Amino acid sequence: MATVDDLQFEEFGDATTSLVATPDATTIRIEDPDETPKHPPAPPRSSRREEDDELLGNDDSDKTELLAGQKKSSPFWTFEYYQTFFDVDTYQVFDRIKGSLLPIPGKNFVRLYIRSNPDLYGPFWICATLVFAIAISGNLSNFLIHLGEKTYHYVPEFRKVSIAATIIYSYAWLVPLALWGFLMWRNSKVMNIVSYSFLEIVCVYGYSLFIYIPTAILWIIPQKAVRWILVTVALGISGSVLAMTFWPAVREDNRRIALATIVTIVLLHMLLSVGCLAYFFDAPEMDHLPAATVVTPNQTVAAAKSS
Amino acid sequence: MAETVDVPGDSGTGSPRPLFAGLSDISISQDIPVEGEITIPMRSQIREFDSSTLNESVQNTIVRDLKAVGKKFMHVLYPRKSNTLLRDWDLWGPLILCVTLALMLQRGSVDSEKDGGPQFAEVFVIVWFGAITITLNSKLLGGNISFFQSLCVLGYCILPLTVAMLVCRLVLFAEPGPINFTVRLFVVIIMFVWSIVASTAFLADSQPPNRKALAVYPVFLFYFVISWMILTFTPQ
């Protein structure tokens, strides 16, 4: 029955040619997986990408949520799930740090640098570096301030490391959580175009804390004026990064609520920096005070005796 | 086994042909050996399969482990591109070094007037949790080093800093002053650089090339914190 010729493979050719031959036959066309049937097959790929970028620019929430959901497909108890949060290269981390140091008005940090790839590497290690920078600088500055005193015995105050760690890490995680909850709540009332995921907010806060690392190191200089100038500069830069990031998210809302949100964000940031300065760094004039307190009781005692 | 199959419709031939008839014509030349034995090579070097280490004296075990630890110390002190630290990892060396460092760094008594340096437990926790965090970080970034290998390398590379601690302790017996401090600073800086070079030599190769800096920076921070603790140690 089966001759040798029948065993040769038959070339079926293209679907179009076979359709030409037998117009009534049904054919199945297997397309590329990322071309949907809605898109006409004619336009080249580049224009489709531009279309997507425009959509990303105008309609952040839907597309970014979709893409974010597509990326993190492993269940949360596997190691690969957490690896997706560390999917950054060295130059990307440097770019994000640079973006937090140079806030350009009109450019959104999240849209420009994070682009639905939030990472946890930056926030975690910037906070760790900041903790040690504050503790070490505080220690060093106290040592330099009390350098000449005979009664001062230097101790490396190790307890301050744990306190600094608690403060910085809770700021970097609890404030984004509160802010995210607040934004979600407002989103349910007022339809906002721009909405951020929790990780993106953590990312912005983490990278915005980077400016405080050189600030903490420069706080070693025991001059009050220098320290306050540094606080102002650092707060200005990181506050403006945060404000410019979150302004598009609240701008659709009631004017007063939007302004109150931004003011609260900046206020909390200021509280962190001033609080760290006050707690970890002794005021430079304190070494003059003990001499004054020694003198005045004697004077008051002498005055009381003489009167 | 060749089966005979009735080939229907085969006109002309009446007898069934075996299926693989042509194969019997293939001859195997006699000088290709197709017989032999399958043997498992003796693996007496691997300790887990060799139960005779249970019967050896304790002294043998301890001496063998100490030799392994000492060999790794040498590899840390003269960092070369070798795989010994990675292949045969053990955590004895890091434990010995960490305990020594923590014993030397702890503050003298609990009831000093202000809080002073770290307690034993604090140093221990910093070293081990720091090493675990760095290991997790390098694995999350996509490195292909195992968890315990990385702990082993980081622990062994504390050796130069432990040596620096010993030197600082000896120097502190002398007259305190700026010269004292400069000597200690110099020693700690050199040992810090040595630790970083040693650990980077082992760890950097396991990372993808565009993330090496991201994986090395936490190591730098870790050894910097330990160096700071050593440098600022003041005896009570």
Side-chain angles (χ1 to χ4, degrees):
Chain A
M1 180 266 298
T3 61
V4 179
D5 287 336
D6 284 343
L7 289 175
Q8 297 284 348
F9 272 122
E10 202 173 310
E11 295 294 329
F12 285 104
D14 211 357
T16 48
T17 54
S18 59
L19 263 180
V20 164
T22 55
D24 294 327
T26 54
T27 54
I28 299 173
R29 187 166 151 211
I30 301 173
E31 301 179 345
D32 277 345
D34 52 349
E35 270 185 44
T36 63
K38 296 194 195 69
H39 286 272
R45 236 161 228 268
S46 55
S47 66
R48 228 171 49 82
R49 287 263 163 79
E50 280 173 39
E51 210 176 288
D52 267 356
D53 276 346
E54 283 171 31
L55 284 174
L56 263 177
N58 291 338
D59 189 2
D60 273 346
S61 58
D62 278 352
K63 279 285 179 177
T64 50
E65 288 300 306
L66 200 62
L67 282 175
Q70 277 175 3
K71 256 182 37 168
K72 304 174 190 4
S73 55
S74 318
F76 68 90
W77 55 83
T78 57
F79 193 69
E80 284 73 26
Y81 176 75
Y82 297 102
Q83 261 182 330
T84 58
F85 300 141
F86 283 77
D87 193 16
V88 277
D89 293 335
T90 311
Y91 75 93
Q92 281 176 316
V93 173
F94 281 148
D95 275 345
R96 292 176 188 192
I97 291 180
K98 205 169 47 140
S100 79
L101 290 178
L102 305 166
I104 305 173
K107 294 270 182 75
N108 190 337
F109 181 77
V110 174
R111 193 184 307 166
L112 200 55
Y113 292 105
I114 300 196
R115 277 188 179 277
S116 74
N117 184 21
D119 70 304
L120 286 181
Y121 177 90
F124 182 78
W125 287 109
I126 291 178
C127 288
T129 313
L130 187 60
V131 164
F132 288 114
I134 287 187
I136 290 178
S137 308
N139 215 358
L140 203 53
S141 109
N142 289 352
F143 173 71
L144 288 176
I145 287 176
H146 300 283
L147 191 49
E149 293 169 19
K150 298 259 189 291
T151 56
Y152 181 75
H153 179 66
Y154 171 73
V155 281
E157 289 163 295
F158 195 73
R159 192 175 49 102
K160 295 209 163 168
V161 172
S162 4
I163 296 177
T166 315
I167 295 177
I168 305 269
Y169 273 103
S170 33
Y171 179 81
W173 285 87
L174 293 182
V175 172
L177 187 65
L179 187 61
W180 176 73
F182 176 75
L183 286 178
M184 286 291 120
W185 176 60
R186 291 312 297 176
N187 257 356
S188 67
K189 299 210 165 171
V190 175
M191 192 56 218
N192 273 329
I193 292 186
V194 174
S195 73
Y196 299 123
S197 69
F198 172 61
L199 282 171
E200 286 169 350
I201 301 183
V202 167
C203 218
V204 172
Y205 262 88
Y207 280 104
S208 74
L209 285 176
F210 179 81
I211 184 71
Y212 287 114
I213 296 177
T215 311
I217 296 176
L218 287 175
W219 274 342
I220 295 179
I221 303 173
Q223 295 292 329
K224 217 170 182 170
V226 170
R227 286 182 180 177
W228 281 102
I229 292 176
L230 286 168
V231 167
T232 324
V233 168
L235 188 63
I237 293 180
S238 62
S240 61
V241 167
L242 287 177
M244 281 193 287
T245 305
F246 289 107
W247 179 247
V250 293
R251 142 179 85 190
E252 315 291 319
D253 208 344
N254 189 356
R255 197 79 181 171
R256 287 164 64 175
I257 294 190
L259 278 176
T261 313
I262 302 290
V263 165
T264 314
I265 292 176
V266 176
L267 215 65
L268 281 173
H269 221 60
M270 187 177 75
L271 203 63
L272 176 78
S273 53
V274 170
C276 282
L277 177 62
Y279 183 72
F280 291 103
F281 294 81
D282 286 343
E285 287 86 18
M286 255 178 67
D287 50 346
H288 299 308
L289 282 176
T293 52
V294 164
V295 169
T296 41
N298 286 344
Q299 284 179 342
T300 51
V301 165
K305 274 195 181 153
S306 63
S307 62
Chain B
M1 200 138 127
E3 295 172 346
T4 59
V5 168
D6 268 328
V7 184
D10 215 53
S11 58
T13 57
S15 60
R17 284 170 35 206
L19 199 57
F20 299 111
L23 278 184
S24 57
D25 298 337
I26 299 175
S27 63
I28 303 175
S29 91
Q30 290 302 314
D31 48 345
I32 302 177
V34 290
E35 2 176 282
E37 283 181 8
I38 299 178
T39 55
I40 303 174
M42 288 299 297
R43 298 176 15 141
S44 55
Q45 285 86 6
I46 304 209
R47 261 181 270 149
E48 301 94 271
F49 299 141
D50 191 1
S51 62
S52 68
T53 59
L54 272 179
N55 299 330
E56 67 179 9
S57 67
V58 174
Q59 179 190 5
N60 275 358
T61 314
I62 293 182
V63 163
R64 189 181 57 233
D65 281 339
L66 278 178
K67 274 201 201 144
V69 169
K71 203 163 94 157
K72 292 201 189 65
F73 279 169
M74 285 301 125
H75 275 278
V76 169
L77 287 178
Y78 303 108
R80 280 182 308 253
K81 292 271 179 206
S82 84
N83 281 337
T84 312
L85 263 187
L86 290 180
R87 207 177 42 225
D88 307 320
W89 60 267
D90 73 272
L91 292 179
W92 285 116
L95 183 67
I96 296 174
L97 288 172
C98 181
V99 167
T100 316
L101 196 62
L103 278 175
M104 287 196 286
L105 267 179
Q106 62 174 343
R107 69 182 104 133
S109 56
V110 174
D111 51 6
S112 23
E113 61 279 6
K114 272 170 81 169
D115 63 332
Q119 295 279 21
F120 179 91
E122 285 167 341
V123 177
F124 212 78
V125 159
I126 280 195
V127 169
W128 285 103
F129 274 96
I132 289 177
T133 310
I134 296 176
T135 308
L136 278 178
N137 176 65
S138 78
K139 282 185 81 68
L140 283 169
L141 280 174
N144 58 357
I145 193 172
S146 95
F147 184 76
F148 287 108
Q149 280 173 349
S150 171
L151 277 186
C152 170
V153 168
L154 287 168
Y156 270 103
C157 290
I158 298 183
L159 176 67
L161 287 171
T162 312
V163 170
M165 184 74 223
L166 283 165
V167 170
C168 284
R169 270 280 191 155
L170 292 174
V171 168
L172 278 170
F173 284 132
E175 175 74 29
I179 304 180
N180 197 318
F181 178 73
T182 322
V183 167
R184 283 187 291 142
L185 180 69
F186 187 63
V187 166
V188 168
I189 287 181
I190 294 209
M191 293 301 175
F192 166 64
V193 170
W194 200 336
S195 282
I196 295 211
V197 165
S199 61
T200 315
F202 294 112
L203 285 180
D205 288 336
S206 67
Q207 288 295 322
N210 49 350
R211 294 182 187 181
K212 278 205 195 335
L214 294 185
V216 168
Y217 171 72
V219 178
F220 168 85
L221 188 66
F222 175 63
Y223 288 128
F224 182 78
V225 169
I226 296 184
S227 317
W228 179 259
M229 288 200 295
I230 291 176
L231 186 60
T232 61
F233 172 78
T234 50
Q236 294 298 322

